[in-house]
Amino acid sequence: MREQVTISHEEANRQKTIIHRLSKKIKDSGLTYFITTLGCQMNVHDSEKLKGILEEIGYIPSDKEESADFVIYNTCCVRENAELKVYGRLGYLKNIKKERPGMLIALCGCMMQQDTVVQKLKKSFKHIDLVFGTHNLYKIAELIETRLETGETIFDIWTEHGDIVEDLPSIRKHSFKASINIMYGCNNFCSYCIVPYVRGRERSRTPDDIINEIKVLATEGVVEIMLLGQNVNSYGSNLDDKITFATLLAQIEKIKGIERIRFMTSHPKDLSDELIAVIAQSTKICDQLHLPFQSGSSTVLDQMNRKYTKEHYLQLVDKVKKACPNIALSTDIIVGFPGESEEDFEDTLKVVEEVGYDFAYTFIYSKRTGTPAAIMADQIPEDISKERFNKLLKLVNAIAYEKSIAHIGKVVDVLIEEVNQQNPLLVSGRLSNNHLVHLTGGQELIGKILPVKIINAKSFYLMGELV
Ligand code: 5AD
Ligand code: SF4
């Protein structure tokens, strides 16, 4: 079942009262915070909400975890590496906390939604202060208050999602660009993936709610939006008033002030002709489509429960390319899925070559306890997975380079995002197709969409000049 979300304004107001109460204690105390965000865009967006609340309480951002008073890890559990990193950092922070016992350590996000993780934390990491999950991060002020009042470690993890609580403070990295959740959760149960177990079932926000949020962002000077969902193509299918993602996009397109619209992630099984047509006609939807194929072998795709074949995927790509000739395609690919043969892997390479991705995110299969793939026979030995991964990476990078150099000589619109971190004489920005470009310029260009001539290219970035 897909569900509609219910918005609780009362809860948002209750939290605002707590934030206000806590701010009387914390404001002007000079206390600092440091957030580490692991994982996907959803987590990045969740961290923007956490930052908003923490700064409203009065915590000051710090650029050093070791000296911060409040340290928080917004975790990911999609692959084991991300989890190991958290345990490693927690071990390190234990020593620091011995010297600075007043330091608070909080953990939240997907990893916390797993019971085994919580048990391990309770047993072996007694120096942590707050643990909460994906469904209740809006409660961070309340949890901090309870921690400060009781002095006890707080575990507050919900197995089910509650009402959606929006309209709380949020701090974006860029004032001119924002992410918006259009739906939460996932119903697809790809056999390797833990997300449906930790983020719950698919729930769509109503179009009115989304459009109002974007209108407010536009009045604040936002020109580019990123619509977020695990599977945006199935947006709205279970709202009381039915609406498709394509219709939502067409409505968003009308909002004055918004110049660029991006979205992710699209599941190939739900990418409709209607959506392709809307993308093709739009002047605001960016020339970019993230369409994960995961594996080029139909046998593996079936085992992955992806619900499409290699042929279907390639037909879809063909349709997209015909309708939108300038589109840059990106994808996610997993190698070393249980049972993947050399032939299956060769099929993956063939799809990569045939489609020609501008960007490809490649992963070695990571066994996630509780998912069907974890108990499949024929798990692939690490050395074979690594060998395949390196081969794939080489191909992906070679194609990315070709895609990059094809820009040389073209004049393209670029949204200038920031002063370059390595060279302060340069600014960096993005093309509509999401390619990164560096050019000479200063602070005054930031937030503007400007025509830029591409003069040089490397695999992962372009060099340009203002025209
Ligand atoms: N192992 C490796 N990669 C995974 N992904 C999801 N689950 C796993 C896993 N168990 C990848 C998929 C997905 C991306 C966000 O992460 O490619 O599209
Ligand atoms: Fe995971 Fe598949 Fe859902 Fe993506 S669509 S979040 S890979 S279960």
Side-chain angles (χ1 to χ4, degrees):
M1 266 293 285
R2 293 193 184 92
E3 301 164 48
Q4 178 162 346
V5 297
T6 324
I7 306 224
S8 175
H9 296 292
E10 295 86 62
E11 182 57 28
N13 287 334
R14 204 173 74 81
Q15 291 302 323
K16 282 180 191 163
T17 310
I18 298 171
I19 291 169
H20 182 67
R21 198 160 61 219
L22 205 51
S23 78
K24 286 191 190 151
K25 286 191 202 149
I26 304 231
K27 262 213 165 88
D28 305 323
S29 63
L31 290 175
T32 58
Y33 79 94
F34 186 95
I35 298 191
T36 301
T37 308
L38 299 157
C40 66
Q41 295 276 336
M42 293 269 182
N43 267 16
V44 172
H45 189 41
D46 281 350
S47 286
E48 293 178 348
K49 297 177 187 175
L50 294 170
K51 284 178 196 169
I53 296 176
L54 290 175
E55 292 191 25
E56 192 83 5
I57 292 172
Y59 282 101
I60 302 162
S62 157
D63 53 10
K64 237 178 137 207
E65 183 182 70
E66 287 80 356
S67 58
D69 298 292
F70 189 83
V71 171
I72 175 161
Y73 274 82
N74 189 4
T75 62
C76 169
C77 58
V78 166
R79 285 168 292 277
E80 193 186 16
N81 278 351
E83 293 199 344
L84 295 178
K85 186 170 173 181
V86 172
Y87 291 128
R89 289 303 294 177
L90 282 180
Y92 171 71
L93 287 173
K94 190 171 185 173
N95 292 329
I96 296 192
K97 198 166 171 175
K98 269 191 199 136
E99 284 160 30
R100 298 179 41 238
M103 173 190 224
L104 289 183
I105 302 174
L107 298 168
C108 66
C110 294
M111 198 176 152
M112 302 306 124
Q113 293 293 139
Q114 301 169 95
D115 202 39
T116 46
V117 170
V118 174
Q119 294 316 323
K120 182 166 174 167
L121 292 174
K122 283 186 175 161
K123 195 162 156 246
S124 313
F125 296 91
K126 297 209 161 69
H127 58 295
I128 54 179
D129 299 281
L130 291 169
V131 179
F132 51 102
T134 52
H135 302 306
N136 57 343
L137 62 87
Y138 66 85
K139 276 182 69 183
I140 184 165
E142 186 175 356
L143 300 175
I144 294 173
E145 187 177 58
T146 315
R147 169 68 183 82
L148 293 177
E149 277 171 7
T150 63
E152 284 174 10
T153 304
I154 311 290
F155 283 88
D156 191 358
I157 292 127
W158 301 358
T159 49
E160 294 285 320
H161 69 87
D163 292 347
I164 295 293
V165 181
E166 302 274 352
D167 193 29
L168 286 168
S170 174
I171 291 180
R172 296 189 297 274
K173 184 172 176 203
H174 302 297
S175 61
F176 47 86
K177 159 172 166 170
S179 298
I180 296 109
N181 289 114
I182 62 164
M183 58 202 298
Y184 300 90
C186 182
N187 283 359
N188 291 317
F189 290 93
C190 300
S191 64
Y192 51 80
C193 186
I194 193 95
V195 169
Y197 306 90
V198 295
R199 288 255 172 193
R201 295 295 66 72
E202 232 171 77
R203 317 62 75 230
S204 296
R205 290 175 70 194
T206 63
D208 281 355
D209 201 27
I210 294 166
I211 283 164
N212 286 339
E213 182 176 340
I214 299 174
K215 280 185 177 161
V216 172
L217 290 168
T219 62
E220 291 171 0
V222 168
V223 292
E224 179 176 309
I225 53 164
M226 166 68 94
L227 307 172
L228 294 177
Q230 305 293 352
N231 179 15
V232 291
N233 301 140
S234 70
Y235 168 78
S237 43
N238 257 57
L239 286 173
D240 293 342
D241 295 321
K242 289 260 176 310
I243 174 169
T244 62
F245 181 53
T247 313
L248 177 74
L249 279 174
Q251 290 182 11
I252 293 173
E253 171 110 12
K254 292 189 196 131
I255 300 175
K256 253 176 81 184
I258 298 298
E259 304 284 343
R260 287 182 163 190
I261 304 169
R262 300 188 194 274
F263 54 84
M264 70 186 303
T265 294
S266 290
H267 194 305
K269 80 177 166 60
D270 298 314
L271 185 73
S272 65
D273 290 351
E274 183 201 12
L275 180 59
I276 296 173
V278 168
I279 299 172
Q281 282 152 21
S282 167
T283 54
K284 294 186 178 176
I285 297 174
C286 289
D287 293 328
Q288 175 207 4
L289 184 66
H290 185 63
L291 198 62
F293 78 95
Q294 313 293 2
S295 166
S297 151
S298 295
T299 321
V300 174
L301 285 170
D302 185 45
Q303 289 294 303
M304 286 178 162
N305 193 29
R306 290 289 291 179
K307 305 202 170 75
Y308 55 85
T309 59
K310 167 189 166 182
E311 290 72 27
H312 174 218
Y313 183 87
L314 289 174
Q315 278 165 14
L316 206 53
V317 166
D318 219 39
K319 252 196 250 177
V320 172
K321 283 184 176 172
K322 282 205 176 99
C324 321
N326 292 326
I327 208 148
L329 291 166
S330 58
T331 196
D332 294 341
I333 309 165
I334 298 176
V335 296
F337 183 82
E340 182 188 69
S341 66
E342 267 313 312
E343 269 185 344
D344 293 325
F345 175 63
E346 291 295 326
D347 280 342
T348 295
L349 296 177
K350 275 185 211 143
V351 171
V352 169
E353 226 156 353
E354 190 164 338
V355 176
Y357 295 99
D358 287 59
F359 311 96
Y361 304 92
T362 50
F363 308 106
I364 291 181
Y365 166 73
S366 172
K367 191 187 204 176
R368 306 283 61 209
T369 308
T371 62
I375 47 168
M376 282 181 186
D378 202 7
Q379 301 277 328
I380 306 295
E382 205 179 312
D383 54 337
I384 296 185
S385 291
K386 278 200 176 140
E387 205 183 301
R388 289 179 187 167
F389 179 80
N390 291 337
K391 208 165 166 188
L392 174 64
L393 202 61
K394 238 172 144 183
L395 178 63
V396 156
N397 289 348
I399 296 173
Y401 181 63
E402 277 172 29
K403 294 283 171 186
S404 246
I405 58 174
H407 289 82
I408 296 176
K410 289 188 178 156
V411 174
V412 288
D413 281 341
V414 172
L415 171 58
I416 312 289
E417 296 190 347
E418 58 194 7
V419 172
N420 188 282
Q421 279 158 11
Q422 269 87 45
N423 180 350
L425 299 176
L426 299 178
V427 287
S428 305
R430 299 247 169 211
L431 279 60
S432 167
N433 67 13
N434 212 29
H435 278 263
L436 175 67
V437 57
H438 307 304
L439 54 140
T440 306
Q443 190 83 32
E444 70 287 354
L445 303 181
I446 292 172
K448 293 185 179 151
I449 298 178
L450 300 168
V452 169
K453 183 167 185 188
I454 305 301
I455 50 173
N456 204 350
K458 304 276 179 214
S459 286
F460 302 109
Y461 64 89
L462 310 169
M463 295 303 296
E465 57 190 20
L466 285 177
V467 292

